[in-house]
Structures are given as structure tokens and as C-alpha cells.
Amino acid sequence: MHATRIVAVRHGETDWNRETRIQGHTDIPLNDHGQWQAVQLGLALREESFAACYSSDLIRAQPPPRRWPVTIGCRWRTTRPARAQFWRV
């Protein structure tokens, strides 16, 4: 039996993050630092093996074009249900 491992990462920095503004579902792109963070994360994960990769459909949560999918060798899937949600417990 093989164990399933889930890796969760947060998107990189946006201008709104820097200003401590709440983004919610507003589609704010990564700033230059956030783009750099995304590339560094892709490089850090390059030795990992992924069966599937999912992200929110918001632009800030998607990998840098033509860098991440090649770097981590995974077909990227974006989906609206992957957006962060607030759950009542």
C-alpha cells in the first residue's frame, strides 16, 4: 500500500498582500516579488513527483507560464472549487 501525500502551497505576494488588503476572490495578480517566489517554489519542488496538480482559477494561484509545469513535470489543472473557502465548524 502506498501512502498519499498532499502538498499545499499558498500563492506568492501580490500588491494587495503588501498593503495588507483582503483580496477574497478579487483576481489580483502576483507582483514582481510574488513572481520570483513562484519560480523559486517551482525550483524547490523540481525533484518531487506529482500525480496531479490543482490550483484556484485566480491568476495569482496559477504557475508562471511555461516554467512550473515543465519544472515539476505535472499537467496543471485550475478549478473554481479550489479557491479558499471559509468553513463553519
Side-chain angles (χ1 to χ4, degrees), residues 8 12 20 26 36 41 44 47 62 72 75:
T20 64
T26 305
W36 177 84
L41 181 61
E47 300 299 321
Q62 296 176 25
I72 65 172
R75 183 173 158 263

Side-chain angles (χ1 to χ4, degrees), residues 2-3 8 13 27 29 32-33 35-36 40-41 43-44 47 50 58-60 66 75 80 85 87 89:
H2 295 283
E13 184 183 79
D27 206 4
D32 289 342
H33 185 67
Q35 286 286 341
W36 177 84
Q40 296 308 304
L41 181 61
L43 292 171
E47 300 299 321
F50 294 93
L58 297 174
I59 192 71
R60 66 180 172 265
R66 291 189 278 280
R75 183 173 158 263
R80 184 178 176 99
Q85 301 292 322
W87 300 94
V89 180

Side-chain angles (χ1 to χ4, degrees), residues 16-41:
W16 281 27
N17 292 141
R18 182 165 271 213
E19 297 166 7
T20 64
R21 293 175 65 185
I22 296 173
Q23 298 169 120
H25 290 203
T26 305
D27 206 4
I28 306 300
L30 298 178
N31 60 21
D32 289 342
H33 185 67
Q35 286 286 341
W36 177 84
Q37 290 172 321
V39 170
Q40 296 308 304
L41 181 61

